[in-house]
Amino acid sequence: MTHDLPEQDLPLTDLPTTDLSDLYPDAPVFAPVFQEFGGRPRFTGRAVTLRVHENNPLVREVLGTPGEGRVLVVDGGGSLNCALLGGQLGELAEQGGWAGVIVNGCVRDTTELRGLNVGIRALAVHPRRSGKATTGERDVPVTFAGVTVRPGDLISADEDGILILPPHAHDPA
């Protein structure tokens, strides 16, 4: 359904990405490489970024802080060697009030993840857990799936895709 209302008349959280893409034709759109794993198919929020490689203690640390409706964007380098997010971290995200998590890598415990009220996107599933080295970077620009995400960018995701809204777009209500 296409909305013909001006953007200020309808909160962005109510608009599908197809309509947002029409409203903001220059908005960067993630390449369609992500699968949906969480129990919330639609989510919108400000980005918190991480860059990690096959180790997830930094993911746990960030998800242990109040999410306040934000979206954690994890650049795992596209590694398909282990999962950076599983059921326990998914529960942490839900309890902390995170709107969503986007992982450029793998997840596991998919049955548990689907039961959570948090949006979760990742490239694939992998049964192996990640390493536990406390390495990585937080609040840095990350580039993958054809887009660059900067801390504070407004991310919108639904069944049709994921995009980054322009700085002048309104915050979710």
Side-chain angles (χ1 to χ4, degrees):
M1 168 168 104
T2 301
H3 300 282
D4 293 324
L5 300 171
E7 65 182 271
Q8 64 270 16
D9 291 340
L10 195 60
L12 289 177
T13 53
D14 291 345
L15 289 177
T17 58
T18 52
D19 288 351
L20 290 170
S21 179
D22 292 347
L23 276 173
Y24 303 109
D26 294 329
V29 177
F30 286 70
V33 295
F34 294 95
Q35 297 179 52
E36 185 178 315
F37 294 102
R40 184 190 298 180
R42 290 182 174 196
F43 57 93
T44 300
R46 294 281 169 191
V48 173
T49 61
L50 293 179
R51 183 179 297 122
V52 299
H53 183 70
E54 298 182 3
N55 291 281
N56 73 354
L58 193 54
V59 177
R60 175 180 293 278
E61 179 183 312
V62 172
L63 290 176
T65 64
E68 301 170 334
R70 294 176 294 171
V71 175
L72 180 59
V73 179
V74 181
D75 182 2
S79 173
L80 302 178
N81 296 323
C82 64
L84 293 173
L85 180 88
Q88 290 179 352
L89 295 187
E91 286 179 17
L92 201 56
E94 180 184 57
Q95 292 165 1
W98 290 86
V101 182
I102 299 170
V103 181
N104 183 30
C106 296
V107 298
R108 67 185 205 161
D109 304 322
T110 58
T111 300
E112 293 174 47
L113 296 178
R114 288 192 201 293
L116 299 174
N117 185 23
V118 63
I120 299 172
R121 300 292 195 283
L123 297 177
V125 295
H126 201 292
R128 183 170 292 127
R129 68 180 179 191
S130 76
K132 299 304 173 197
T134 54
T135 58
E137 298 174 276
R138 180 180 176 170
D139 296 325
V140 295
V142 293
T143 301
F144 59 88
V147 301
T148 297
V149 180
R150 290 169 183 77
D153 279 351
L154 186 56
I155 306 288
S156 184
D158 67 12
E159 302 87 345
D160 289 316
I162 308 168
L163 55 83
I164 302 171
L165 293 167
H168 64 275
H170 300 284
D171 273 313

